[in-house]
Amino acid sequence: MSIGRKWLCVAAAVLGLSAATDVSHAQAYPARAITLVIPFAPGGSTSIVGRAIADKMSEQLGEKVVVDNRPGAGGTIGTKAVAKSDPDGYTLLLGYTGTLAIGPSLYKNPGYDPRKDFAPIGMIGNAPNSLVVHPSFPAKSVAELIAYAKANANKVNFGSAGAGTASHITGEYFARAAGIKLVHIPYKGTGPALTDLLGGHIPMAFAPIPASHSNVAAGKLRALAVTSITRSSLLPDVPTLMEAGLTGFDASLYYGLVAPAGTPRPIVDKLNQALRDALASDEVKKQLGNDGTEITPGTPEDYAAFIDKDEKKWSQLVKASGVEQE
């Protein structure tokens, strides 16, 4: 046997052994608890969605999926931590529009690449933001809000889940489209922002419907609009911003699961199946449906293509807003 053929045989054997090892690991996986990092504070939409998925996937996988909230820097701190984690399937990330589509363009050095540093597992679903105000705020409609903000330039505050989050850029997007000046007040998550809004410390906020609708239904907040192109089934009487006169306005939020790049494909496939089974369960359908999240399961390839498309869209909005973070 020639030296060249000998090395080809050795290489094939090594590749075969590697593939067999991956399959063996997947068959034994999971052998311990899995950590699902949610890169925002508890109480927001990401926690609502993430905890629903974690609980059901725990049943599907036979091991606990433990939620770990790691807020900060618009979600980029927790996201970067997962990108640098071991690709063994035991550290996962709740992917989100704010971290995988906005952060890479907003921050000079977010510490990760949404296309290269993650192995997409699958999409969970999407939900629009809502434009909500405190009941004491004088504006009862988007038109009244715009008029009020024009008469009080740089005096109207809006809260968000943090600098660089989807709710922040949506607010900047709204201000630009409406031709008004707003003052951004960042928080460490949607939960803290809504707490201050409910307390009357800020007059308005952009918040995901899963986090805001219960307070709207209870009359504790007033919803002026939703940011999707169609109305929400949870807030059917609330117009879209397009209906309110802002042509083409669309700022829906998307959720999914990713693992660190290099995670063996058999493990990714096992996680994808567990995720899809969880999303097909009556409990998760009801829980996410009650919170206004439209379930959209798919393959890892579907989610990878979507991450690419969503990042391109939001990077344009970030550039147009003129906002940049260190």
Side-chain angles (χ1 to χ4, degrees):
M1 180 183 296
S2 68
I3 294 177
R5 290 190 63 188
K6 179 179 179 181
W7 279 111
L8 285 174
C9 290
V10 171
V14 170
L15 289 173
L17 179 61
S18 176
T21 300
D22 281 350
V23 171
S24 176
H25 285 169
Q27 290 173 342
Y29 174 86
R32 54 185 170 85
I34 299 166
T35 297
L36 172 60
V37 174
I38 298 177
F40 297 96
S45 65
T46 49
S47 286
I48 292 171
V49 172
R51 289 181 183 280
I53 293 301
D55 289 346
K56 198 61 183 178
M57 286 184 68
S58 295
E59 297 178 18
Q60 302 290 343
L61 295 167
E63 290 286 350
K64 186 71 175 176
V65 178
V66 181
V67 169
D68 180 7
N69 290 90
R70 297 191 199 177
T76 59
I77 290 177
T79 302
K80 178 180 177 180
V82 175
K84 307 303 180 185
S85 297
D86 291 336
D88 55 9
Y90 289 101
T91 305
L92 310 179
L93 173 75
L94 185 77
Y96 180 58
T97 294
T99 51
L100 299 185
I102 295 176
S105 296
L106 186 78
Y107 291 89
K108 290 183 178 179
N109 183 24
Y112 59 88
D113 184 313
R115 296 174 178 84
K116 297 179 180 179
D117 291 335
F118 298 103
I121 293 168
M123 189 178 289
I124 294 171
N126 70 86
N129 260 314
S130 56
L131 168 51
V132 286
V133 300
H134 189 268
S136 65
F137 192 61
K140 302 270 191 311
S141 67
V142 172
E144 290 181 8
L145 169 58
I146 293 173
Y148 183 87
K150 286 182 176 179
N152 296 272
N154 291 312
K155 293 182 180 179
V156 180
N157 300 335
F158 79 93
S160 80
T165 61
S167 54
H168 172 204
I169 300 304
T170 297
E172 301 289 353
Y173 178 18
F174 168 72
R176 185 181 181 88
I180 58 178
K181 299 288 187 180
L182 299 174
V183 179
H184 175 229
I185 307 296
Y187 291 84
K188 291 185 177 180
T190 298
L194 287 181
T195 296
D196 262 16
L197 179 59
L198 289 164
H201 302 296
I202 54 174
M204 61 178 282
F206 284 87
I209 288 179
S212 68
H213 82 93
S214 60
N215 287 308
V216 172
K220 296 178 180 179
L221 295 176
R222 183 189 308 131
L224 300 187
V226 295
T227 64
S228 52
I229 58 175
T230 58
R231 294 193 181 195
S232 167
S233 59
L234 286 182
L235 301 171
D237 297 327
V238 178
T240 67
L241 282 169
M242 286 182 63
E243 291 175 314
L246 302 185
T247 304
F249 198 103
D250 178 21
S252 292
L253 310 175
Y254 290 83
Y255 312 91
L257 285 187
V258 298
T263 300
R265 182 58 192 245
I267 289 178
V268 170
D269 287 341
K270 181 171 265 190
L271 289 167
N272 175 266
Q273 188 60 59
L275 174 61
R276 295 175 78 161
D277 289 344
L279 293 173
S281 69
D282 290 339
E283 304 100 299
V284 172
K285 282 183 178 179
K286 181 177 180 180
Q287 189 168 355
L288 297 190
N290 287 344
D291 284 316
T293 300
E294 179 185 351
I295 294 174
T296 54
T299 66
E301 287 75 20
D302 292 334
Y303 192 29
F306 181 81
I307 289 171
D308 179 65
K309 176 183 175 182
D310 206 34
E311 194 279 334
K312 288 177 181 176
K313 168 189 170 179
W314 282 92
S315 66
Q316 293 175 353
L317 294 177
V318 169
K319 290 175 184 177
S321 74
V323 177
E324 185 178 65
Q325 301 291 324
E326 292 297 329

Short mmCIF file of all heavy atoms in Angstrom, two decimals, residues 115-165:
data_model
loop_
_atom_site.label_atom_id
_atom_site.label_comp_id
_atom_site.label_asym_id
_atom_site.label_seq_id
_atom_site.Cartn_x
_atom_site.Cartn_y
_atom_site.Cartn_z
N ARG A 115 -23.75 34.25 13.36
CA ARG A 115 -23.73 33.23 12.31
C ARG A 115 -22.65 32.17 12.56
O ARG A 115 -22.83 31.01 12.19
CB ARG A 115 -23.50 33.88 10.95
CG ARG A 115 -24.62 34.82 10.50
CD ARG A 115 -24.23 35.52 9.21
NE ARG A 115 -25.29 36.38 8.72
CZ ARG A 115 -25.47 37.64 9.14
NH1 ARG A 115 -24.65 38.15 10.05
NH2 ARG A 115 -26.45 38.38 8.65
N LYS A 116 -21.53 32.57 13.17
CA LYS A 116 -20.39 31.67 13.30
C LYS A 116 -20.25 31.01 14.68
O LYS A 116 -19.68 29.93 14.79
CB LYS A 116 -19.09 32.42 13.00
CG LYS A 116 -18.99 32.94 11.58
CD LYS A 116 -17.69 33.71 11.39
CE LYS A 116 -17.57 34.26 9.97
NZ LYS A 116 -16.29 35.03 9.79
N ASP A 117 -20.76 31.67 15.72
CA ASP A 117 -20.48 31.21 17.08
C ASP A 117 -21.57 30.34 17.70
O ASP A 117 -21.46 29.95 18.86
CB ASP A 117 -20.21 32.41 17.99
CG ASP A 117 -18.90 33.11 17.66
OD1 ASP A 117 -18.01 32.43 17.10
OD2 ASP A 117 -18.76 34.31 17.94
N PHE A 118 -22.63 30.05 16.93
CA PHE A 118 -23.72 29.26 17.48
C PHE A 118 -24.15 28.17 16.52
O PHE A 118 -24.03 28.31 15.30
CB PHE A 118 -24.92 30.15 17.80
CG PHE A 118 -24.63 31.20 18.83
CD1 PHE A 118 -24.41 32.52 18.46
CD2 PHE A 118 -24.53 30.87 20.18
CE1 PHE A 118 -24.11 33.49 19.41
CE2 PHE A 118 -24.23 31.82 21.12
CZ PHE A 118 -24.02 33.14 20.74
N ALA A 119 -24.67 27.10 17.10
CA ALA A 119 -25.29 26.02 16.34
C ALA A 119 -26.80 26.14 16.56
O ALA A 119 -27.28 25.82 17.66
CB ALA A 119 -24.79 24.66 16.83
N PRO A 120 -27.55 26.67 15.59
CA PRO A 120 -29.00 26.82 15.77
C PRO A 120 -29.66 25.47 16.03
O PRO A 120 -29.33 24.46 15.39
CB PRO A 120 -29.46 27.41 14.43
CG PRO A 120 -28.24 28.10 13.88
CD PRO A 120 -27.09 27.21 14.30
N ILE A 121 -30.57 25.46 16.98
CA ILE A 121 -31.33 24.24 17.32
C ILE A 121 -32.71 24.30 16.68
O ILE A 121 -33.15 23.36 16.03
CB ILE A 121 -31.44 24.08 18.84
CG1 ILE A 121 -30.05 23.82 19.44
CG2 ILE A 121 -32.40 22.95 19.20
CD1 ILE A 121 -29.99 23.93 20.94
N GLY A 122 -33.40 25.41 16.86
CA GLY A 122 -34.71 25.56 16.25
C GLY A 122 -35.40 26.82 16.74
O GLY A 122 -35.09 27.34 17.81
N MET A 123 -36.33 27.30 15.93
CA MET A 123 -37.09 28.48 16.31
C MET A 123 -38.23 28.08 17.24
O MET A 123 -38.76 26.96 17.17
CB MET A 123 -37.65 29.20 15.08
CG MET A 123 -38.26 30.55 15.38
SD MET A 123 -38.87 31.40 13.90
CE MET A 123 -37.33 31.84 13.13
N ILE A 124 -38.60 29.00 18.12
CA ILE A 124 -39.72 28.79 19.03
C ILE A 124 -40.96 29.52 18.51
O ILE A 124 -42.01 28.93 18.32
CB ILE A 124 -39.37 29.30 20.44
CG1 ILE A 124 -38.25 28.44 21.04
CG2 ILE A 124 -40.61 29.28 21.35
CD1 ILE A 124 -37.68 28.99 22.33
N GLY A 125 -40.83 30.82 18.28
CA GLY A 125 -41.98 31.58 17.81
C GLY A 125 -41.69 33.06 17.79
O GLY A 125 -40.54 33.49 17.94
N ASN A 126 -42.73 33.85 17.61
CA ASN A 126 -42.56 35.30 17.54
C ASN A 126 -43.72 36.02 18.21
O ASN A 126 -44.81 35.46 18.37
CB ASN A 126 -42.43 35.76 16.09
CG ASN A 126 -43.72 35.64 15.31
OD1 ASN A 126 -44.57 36.52 15.34
ND2 ASN A 126 -43.90 34.51 14.62
N ALA A 127 -43.45 37.24 18.62
CA ALA A 127 -44.48 38.08 19.25
C ALA A 127 -44.12 39.54 18.99
O ALA A 127 -42.95 39.90 18.99
CB ALA A 127 -44.56 37.82 20.75
N PRO A 128 -45.13 40.37 18.78
CA PRO A 128 -44.83 41.79 18.58
C PRO A 128 -44.60 42.51 19.90
O PRO A 128 -44.97 42.03 20.97
CB PRO A 128 -46.10 42.32 17.90
CG PRO A 128 -47.19 41.44 18.43
CD PRO A 128 -46.55 40.08 18.58
N ASN A 129 -43.97 43.65 19.81
CA ASN A 129 -43.89 44.55 20.94
C ASN A 129 -45.22 45.30 21.05
O ASN A 129 -45.99 45.39 20.08
CB ASN A 129 -42.77 45.58 20.74
CG ASN A 129 -41.51 45.24 21.50
OD1 ASN A 129 -41.56 44.87 22.66
ND2 ASN A 129 -40.37 45.35 20.84
N SER A 130 -45.46 45.87 22.21
CA SER A 130 -46.62 46.74 22.39
C SER A 130 -46.12 48.10 22.87
O SER A 130 -45.14 48.18 23.62
CB SER A 130 -47.59 46.16 23.41
OG SER A 130 -46.94 45.92 24.65
N LEU A 131 -46.76 49.14 22.41
CA LEU A 131 -46.49 50.49 22.89
C LEU A 131 -47.48 50.74 24.01
O LEU A 131 -48.69 50.88 23.77
CB LEU A 131 -46.66 51.50 21.77
CG LEU A 131 -46.68 53.00 22.15
CD1 LEU A 131 -45.49 53.37 23.01
CD2 LEU A 131 -46.74 53.86 20.90
N VAL A 132 -46.98 50.75 25.25
CA VAL A 132 -47.87 50.90 26.41
C VAL A 132 -47.51 52.15 27.21
O VAL A 132 -46.33 52.54 27.27
CB VAL A 132 -47.80 49.65 27.33
CG1 VAL A 132 -48.53 48.48 26.70
CG2 VAL A 132 -46.35 49.26 27.64
N VAL A 133 -48.53 52.76 27.79
CA VAL A 133 -48.33 53.97 28.58
C VAL A 133 -49.02 53.81 29.94
O VAL A 133 -49.91 52.98 30.10
CB VAL A 133 -48.89 55.22 27.87
CG1 VAL A 133 -48.19 55.44 26.53
CG2 VAL A 133 -50.40 55.11 27.67
N HIS A 134 -48.58 54.61 30.89
CA HIS A 134 -49.23 54.63 32.20
C HIS A 134 -50.60 55.28 32.04
O HIS A 134 -50.77 56.21 31.24
CB HIS A 134 -48.37 55.43 33.19
CG HIS A 134 -48.84 55.32 34.60
ND1 HIS A 134 -49.73 56.23 35.15
CD2 HIS A 134 -48.57 54.41 35.58
CE1 HIS A 134 -49.97 55.88 36.41
NE2 HIS A 134 -49.28 54.78 36.69
N PRO A 135 -51.62 54.82 32.78
CA PRO A 135 -52.97 55.39 32.64
C PRO A 135 -53.04 56.89 32.86
O PRO A 135 -53.95 57.55 32.34
CB PRO A 135 -53.76 54.63 33.73
CG PRO A 135 -53.05 53.33 33.87
CD PRO A 135 -51.60 53.66 33.70
N SER A 136 -52.09 57.46 33.59
CA SER A 136 -52.11 58.90 33.83
C SER A 136 -51.57 59.71 32.66
O SER A 136 -51.74 60.94 32.62
CB SER A 136 -51.29 59.24 35.08
OG SER A 136 -49.91 58.94 34.87
N PHE A 137 -50.93 59.03 31.71
CA PHE A 137 -50.37 59.75 30.55
C PHE A 137 -51.50 60.31 29.70
O PHE A 137 -52.48 59.62 29.43
CB PHE A 137 -49.51 58.79 29.73
CG PHE A 137 -48.65 59.45 28.70
CD1 PHE A 137 -47.67 60.36 29.06
CD2 PHE A 137 -48.81 59.16 27.35
CE1 PHE A 137 -46.86 60.98 28.11
CE2 PHE A 137 -48.01 59.76 26.39
CZ PHE A 137 -47.04 60.67 26.78
N PRO A 138 -51.40 61.58 29.29
CA PRO A 138 -52.53 62.22 28.60
C PRO A 138 -52.88 61.65 27.24
O PRO A 138 -54.04 61.77 26.80
CB PRO A 138 -52.08 63.69 28.48
CG PRO A 138 -50.59 63.65 28.60
CD PRO A 138 -50.31 62.53 29.55
N ALA A 139 -51.94 61.03 26.53
CA ALA A 139 -52.23 60.53 25.19
C ALA A 139 -53.05 59.25 25.23
O ALA A 139 -52.72 58.30 25.94
CB ALA A 139 -50.93 60.28 24.45
N LYS A 140 -54.15 59.24 24.48
CA LYS A 140 -55.02 58.06 24.41
C LYS A 140 -54.88 57.33 23.07
O LYS A 140 -55.55 56.33 22.83
CB LYS A 140 -56.49 58.49 24.59
CG LYS A 140 -56.77 59.24 25.90
CD LYS A 140 -57.13 58.30 27.00
CE LYS A 140 -57.69 58.98 28.24
NZ LYS A 140 -56.90 60.13 28.75
N SER A 141 -54.04 57.84 22.18
CA SER A 141 -53.82 57.22 20.88
C SER A 141 -52.41 57.56 20.41
O SER A 141 -51.74 58.42 20.98
CB SER A 141 -54.83 57.74 19.85
OG SER A 141 -54.59 59.12 19.58
N VAL A 142 -51.98 56.88 19.36
CA VAL A 142 -50.64 57.15 18.81
C VAL A 142 -50.58 58.57 18.28
O VAL A 142 -49.58 59.28 18.48
CB VAL A 142 -50.30 56.14 17.69
CG1 VAL A 142 -49.00 56.53 16.99
CG2 VAL A 142 -50.18 54.73 18.27
N ALA A 143 -51.63 59.01 17.61
CA ALA A 143 -51.65 60.38 17.08
C ALA A 143 -51.52 61.40 18.21
O ALA A 143 -50.77 62.39 18.08
CB ALA A 143 -52.94 60.62 16.30
N GLU A 144 -52.21 61.18 19.32
CA GLU A 144 -52.11 62.08 20.46
C GLU A 144 -50.73 62.03 21.09
O GLU A 144 -50.19 63.05 21.54
CB GLU A 144 -53.19 61.74 21.50
CG GLU A 144 -54.60 62.08 21.05
CD GLU A 144 -55.64 61.76 22.11
OE1 GLU A 144 -55.25 61.41 23.25
OE2 GLU A 144 -56.85 61.84 21.80
N LEU A 145 -50.13 60.84 21.12
CA LEU A 145 -48.78 60.71 21.66
C LEU A 145 -47.78 61.50 20.81
O LEU A 145 -46.92 62.22 21.34
CB LEU A 145 -48.38 59.24 21.70
CG LEU A 145 -46.89 58.93 21.98
CD1 LEU A 145 -46.44 59.53 23.30
CD2 LEU A 145 -46.63 57.43 21.94
N ILE A 146 -47.89 61.35 19.52
CA ILE A 146 -46.98 62.07 18.62
C ILE A 146 -47.13 63.58 18.78
O ILE A 146 -46.14 64.31 18.87
CB ILE A 146 -47.23 61.64 17.15
CG1 ILE A 146 -46.81 60.17 16.96
CG2 ILE A 146 -46.46 62.54 16.19
CD1 ILE A 146 -47.16 59.60 15.60
N ALA A 147 -48.38 64.03 18.86
CA ALA A 147 -48.62 65.46 19.04
C ALA A 147 -48.06 65.95 20.37
O ALA A 147 -47.44 67.03 20.45
CB ALA A 147 -50.12 65.75 18.96
N TYR A 148 -48.24 65.16 21.41
CA TYR A 148 -47.74 65.53 22.74
C TYR A 148 -46.22 65.58 22.74
O TYR A 148 -45.61 66.51 23.31
CB TYR A 148 -48.24 64.51 23.77
CG TYR A 148 -47.84 64.83 25.20
CD1 TYR A 148 -48.62 65.66 26.00
CD2 TYR A 148 -46.67 64.29 25.75
CE1 TYR A 148 -48.24 65.96 27.30
CE2 TYR A 148 -46.29 64.57 27.05
CZ TYR A 148 -47.08 65.41 27.82
OH TYR A 148 -46.69 65.71 29.11
N ALA A 149 -45.59 64.59 22.11
CA ALA A 149 -44.13 64.54 22.08
C ALA A 149 -43.55 65.69 21.26
O ALA A 149 -42.49 66.23 21.60
CB ALA A 149 -43.66 63.21 21.50
N LYS A 150 -44.24 66.10 20.22
CA LYS A 150 -43.77 67.24 19.42
C LYS A 150 -43.86 68.54 20.22
O LYS A 150 -43.02 69.42 20.07
CB LYS A 150 -44.58 67.35 18.13
CG LYS A 150 -44.21 66.28 17.10
CD LYS A 150 -45.00 66.45 15.80
CE LYS A 150 -44.54 65.43 14.76
NZ LYS A 150 -45.28 65.54 13.49
N ALA A 151 -44.87 68.61 21.06
CA ALA A 151 -45.03 69.81 21.89
C ALA A 151 -44.13 69.79 23.11
O ALA A 151 -43.93 70.82 23.76
CB ALA A 151 -46.50 69.94 22.33
N ASN A 152 -43.56 68.60 23.41
CA ASN A 152 -42.68 68.45 24.59
C ASN A 152 -41.41 67.71 24.19
O ASN A 152 -41.07 66.67 24.76
CB ASN A 152 -43.41 67.69 25.69
CG ASN A 152 -44.62 68.42 26.22
OD1 ASN A 152 -44.52 69.23 27.14
ND2 ASN A 152 -45.79 68.13 25.65
N ALA A 153 -40.70 68.25 23.21
CA ALA A 153 -39.51 67.59 22.67
C ALA A 153 -38.48 67.32 23.76
O ALA A 153 -38.19 68.18 24.59
CB ALA A 153 -38.90 68.46 21.58
N ASN A 154 -37.97 66.09 23.74
CA ASN A 154 -36.94 65.65 24.69
C ASN A 154 -37.41 65.67 26.15
O ASN A 154 -36.59 65.67 27.07
CB ASN A 154 -35.67 66.49 24.56
CG ASN A 154 -34.93 66.22 23.26
OD1 ASN A 154 -34.71 65.07 22.89
ND2 ASN A 154 -34.56 67.28 22.55
N LYS A 155 -38.72 65.64 26.35
CA LYS A 155 -39.26 65.61 27.71
C LYS A 155 -40.06 64.34 27.98
O LYS A 155 -40.49 64.11 29.11
CB LYS A 155 -40.15 66.84 27.95
CG LYS A 155 -39.38 68.16 27.95
CD LYS A 155 -40.31 69.33 28.25
CE LYS A 155 -39.55 70.65 28.26
NZ LYS A 155 -40.45 71.81 28.52
N VAL A 156 -40.29 63.54 26.95
CA VAL A 156 -41.05 62.31 27.11
C VAL A 156 -40.08 61.12 27.16
O VAL A 156 -39.34 60.88 26.20
CB VAL A 156 -42.05 62.11 25.96
CG1 VAL A 156 -42.83 60.80 26.16
CG2 VAL A 156 -43.02 63.29 25.88
N ASN A 157 -40.08 60.40 28.27
CA ASN A 157 -39.20 59.24 28.44
C ASN A 157 -39.88 57.96 27.97
O ASN A 157 -41.10 57.82 28.08
CB ASN A 157 -38.82 59.06 29.91
CG ASN A 157 -38.08 60.26 30.48
OD1 ASN A 157 -37.45 61.02 29.74
ND2 ASN A 157 -38.15 60.44 31.79
N PHE A 158 -39.08 57.03 27.48
CA PHE A 158 -39.61 55.69 27.23
C PHE A 158 -38.63 54.68 27.79
O PHE A 158 -37.41 54.83 27.71
CB PHE A 158 -39.87 55.44 25.73
CG PHE A 158 -38.67 55.12 24.89
CD1 PHE A 158 -38.28 53.80 24.65
CD2 PHE A 158 -37.91 56.14 24.32
CE1 PHE A 158 -37.18 53.51 23.86
CE2 PHE A 158 -36.80 55.86 23.53
CZ PHE A 158 -36.43 54.54 23.30
N GLY A 159 -39.17 53.64 28.41
CA GLY A 159 -38.35 52.60 29.01
C GLY A 159 -38.15 51.44 28.06
O GLY A 159 -38.98 51.18 27.18
N SER A 160 -37.04 50.73 28.25
CA SER A 160 -36.77 49.54 27.44
C SER A 160 -36.10 48.49 28.32
O SER A 160 -35.73 48.75 29.46
CB SER A 160 -35.86 49.88 26.26
OG SER A 160 -34.50 49.95 26.67
N ALA A 161 -35.90 47.31 27.75
CA ALA A 161 -35.25 46.22 28.47
C ALA A 161 -33.74 46.42 28.57
O ALA A 161 -33.05 45.60 29.17
CB ALA A 161 -35.55 44.89 27.79
N GLY A 162 -33.23 47.50 28.02
CA GLY A 162 -31.80 47.79 28.10
C GLY A 162 -31.28 48.39 26.82
O GLY A 162 -31.90 48.24 25.75
N ALA A 163 -30.17 49.08 26.91
CA ALA A 163 -29.55 49.67 25.72
C ALA A 163 -29.22 48.59 24.71
O ALA A 163 -28.55 47.60 25.03
CB ALA A 163 -28.29 50.43 26.13
N GLY A 164 -29.72 48.77 23.50
CA GLY A 164 -29.43 47.80 22.45
C GLY A 164 -30.43 46.68 22.31
O GLY A 164 -30.31 45.87 21.39
N THR A 165 -31.41 46.61 23.19
CA THR A 165 -32.42 45.56 23.09
C THR A 165 -33.43 45.91 22.00
O THR A 165 -33.49 47.04 21.51
CB THR A 165 -33.16 45.36 24.41
OG1 THR A 165 -33.82 46.59 24.75
CG2 THR A 165 -32.19 44.99 25.53
#
